[in-house]
Amino acid sequence: MALSATPYKVDVNLTDLDRNVYETLRFTVARHPSETEDRMCARLIAYLLWYSEALAFGRGLSDVDEPALWEKSLDGRVLHWIEVGLPDAERLTWCSRRAERVSLLAYGRVDLWENKVLPAVAALKNVHVAGLPQEALATIAEGLPRSINWAVMISDGSLFITDENGQHEVTPQWLLRDR
């Protein structure tokens, strides 16, 4: 019997000073049985970093033809394709052909990955890559409750995430273009 996804209730008070976005967000996100807490947190951070009203969670791990997040136009075109993790150059090239803009929020062993993959995708003008500091991500993901309540302020490219354990600063490092 296959394992089912675990639902997480998310409440976020988002204040993005860089883009003048002020939203109170309430949604449910599913964690795939094979997904780590780090990856799920990275998906949430990506959602907040590139938030727009049309941004939606894709099937990601369940369907390789869908991203972790995406924004579609009313006529079905993919405006923004967002990946999370450390995909290979072939995957990023494939994604860049399917969307007007591709963003990647890389986490894990980004230092080893970037030397191998970034040179191969640097010529793709619609690809943007940011790396998350692993220590900050691990701190936020540790013991992630099923009911997530965050206050998030984004200022000068840094995310300040306040949860029941205190405040955490996460500053993505832009490896290819920017937000």
Side-chain angles (χ1 to χ4, degrees):
M1 184 166 101
L3 297 173
S4 61
T6 305
Y8 283 74
K9 300 285 185 189
V10 181
D11 286 312
V12 176
N13 183 2
L14 175 63
T15 303
D16 187 339
L17 299 174
D18 295 345
R19 299 185 305 143
N20 293 318
V21 174
Y22 308 95
E23 295 286 340
T24 299
L25 307 169
R26 180 171 274 153
F27 56 92
T28 300
V29 64
R31 180 175 160 203
H32 190 273
S34 67
E35 184 174 33
T36 65
E37 286 182 336
D38 283 3
R39 185 178 190 283
M40 187 167 133
C41 269
R43 281 195 305 138
L44 289 173
I45 290 170
Y47 182 78
L48 299 171
L49 189 62
W50 287 293
Y51 174 77
S52 75
E53 285 186 25
L55 190 62
F57 288 92
R59 292 188 202 141
L61 292 175
S62 300
D63 185 347
V64 295
D65 290 338
E66 286 191 17
L69 299 152
W70 57 3
E71 180 181 349
K72 289 183 172 183
S73 67
L74 293 175
D75 63 1
R77 289 178 298 117
V78 179
L79 302 174
H80 195 178
W81 181 294
I82 302 171
E83 289 284 313
V84 173
L86 299 173
D88 58 21
E90 188 176 304
R91 170 73 179 180
L92 287 173
T93 302
W94 182 86
C95 297
S96 74
R97 293 181 188 137
R98 283 157 180 72
E100 291 181 18
R101 179 174 178 205
V102 175
S103 296
L104 167 64
L105 191 58
Y107 72 92
R109 293 304 312 258
V110 177
D111 54 336
L112 300 175
W113 171 88
E114 72 176 306
N115 294 329
K116 188 169 62 172
V117 176
L118 284 185
V121 298
L124 301 172
K125 300 295 183 210
N126 65 338
V127 175
H128 306 259
V129 179
L132 278 181
Q134 188 58 38
E135 304 79 34
L137 180 63
T139 300
I140 296 168
E142 185 178 344
L144 193 67
R146 294 272 304 274
S147 183
I148 299 167
N149 190 357
W150 287 356
V152 178
M153 182 177 72
I154 302 174
S155 178
D156 294 329
S158 292
L159 291 92
F160 299 91
I161 301 171
T162 304
D163 63 11
E164 63 274 354
N165 297 321
Q167 188 176 45
H168 315 278
E169 183 178 352
V170 179
T171 304
Q173 177 188 4
W174 291 97
L175 305 171
L176 188 62
R177 296 176 191 82
D178 61 14
R179 181 159 71 139

